[in-house]
Amino acid sequence: MTTIILAAQTAAQGGGGMGFLIMMIALFAIMWFFMIRPQQKRQKQIQAFQNAIQVGTSVIIGSGIYGTVKSVDHASGKVEVEIAHGVVVTVDKNAVFQAGAPQQ
């Protein structure tokens, strides 16, 4: 935090325009490495799971309801999930997530 204040003071004095630019680039690189990159990696894992859903897989529907996949129609993107004995709901494939997936 103090480096940001010092860089801002130096830039205000008129002599640190290049140093401030380098610091901003470094800050963006750190933010990308710790925030954006892991989120993109997690999205790819979710997408791979949704494309490989099979009958009998335990899943969580986007609303937080646990169930078991009864049928999958990849062409239309619909998945039938049994949420209770004899209760089957049809949901979009993008609303289905892996049950017990580790959070990162």
Side-chain angles (χ1 to χ4, degrees):
M1 187 66 162
T2 58
T3 56
I4 295 172
I5 294 171
L6 289 174
Q9 288 174 350
T10 306
Q13 292 173 355
M18 186 59 121
F20 183 73
L21 181 63
I22 291 171
M23 187 185 66
M24 291 304 292
I25 291 171
L27 184 64
F28 177 75
I30 290 169
M31 188 173 71
W32 177 81
F33 187 73
F34 285 110
M35 295 176 68
I36 298 170
R37 186 174 165 260
Q39 181 62 27
Q40 289 174 342
K41 190 175 180 181
R42 180 75 175 130
Q43 279 300 117
K44 287 180 184 177
Q45 290 174 344
I46 291 170
Q47 191 68 33
F49 172 76
Q50 290 172 342
N51 290 332
I53 293 175
Q54 297 178 355
V55 175
T57 304
S58 294
V59 296
I60 301 174
I61 300 173
S63 59
I65 300 172
Y66 287 79
T68 305
V69 175
K70 289 298 174 186
S71 71
V72 180
D73 184 6
H74 289 287
S76 67
K78 293 181 181 179
V79 178
E80 289 187 355
V81 179
E82 183 177 38
I83 59 175
H85 183 66
V87 180
V88 179
V89 294
T90 303
V91 296
D92 188 70
K93 181 176 69 170
N94 295 323
V96 177
F97 303 98
Q98 185 174 7
Q103 296 294 323
Q104 295 182 0

